Amino acid sequence: MIIFKLKEVQARYNVRNVALAGYLGLKSDALISEYRSGAKTPKLDRVDRIMDAIAELGNKEKLELYPLSFSDLVEYRPNTTEASKEDQKENIVF
């Protein structure tokens, strides 16, 4: 499962939804809110633009101290649904 950590990154670098939406050319910040909540996940080219926006709009002192990286924004976590747990149990050999 891919986790998009926009909320944390925006907080770290002091980037507001409206500013990010404006930089991306969006008419409102509704899509940014959906990204933050996990309701939607951006495509890779949009992630690239979001990183550019944060680098441009973010707090320069914090960006200098803690440079933005892809892993700050995107994280992989294994799926842990009940179905995948059952599949794993079936594959165990004793």
Side-chain angles (χ1 to χ4, degrees):
M1 170 186 320
I2 301 296
I3 307 296
F4 191 58
K5 303 184 298 185
L6 182 58
K7 186 175 184 175
E8 293 88 350
V9 170
Q10 281 183 272
R12 181 182 310 145
Y13 298 112
N14 301 322
V15 177
R16 299 179 52 94
N17 284 6
V18 173
L20 183 55
Y23 187 94
L24 297 174
L26 303 173
K27 293 180 182 180
S28 76
D29 65 345
L31 185 58
I32 302 302
S33 295
E34 290 177 327
Y35 290 160
R36 287 173 53 105
S37 70
K40 289 190 177 181
T41 303
K43 293 183 179 182
L44 194 55
D45 62 329
R46 177 65 57 94
V47 173
D48 184 47
R49 294 272 301 137
I50 289 170
M51 290 186 69
D52 288 342
I54 292 168
E56 180 70 27
L57 302 170
N59 180 294
K60 301 304 179 207
E61 290 177 12
K62 288 185 180 182
L63 283 161
E64 190 174 314
L65 287 172
Y66 309 104
L68 178 64
S69 70
F70 184 76
S71 62
D72 292 331
L73 196 57
V74 178
E75 179 181 335
Y76 167 75
R77 294 182 192 161
N79 287 326
T80 57
T81 63
E82 290 302 315
S84 67
K85 288 179 185 177
E86 290 301 318
D87 290 342
Q88 290 173 358
K89 287 179 185 177
E90 291 176 8
N91 293 326
I92 297 175
V93 177
F94 291 96

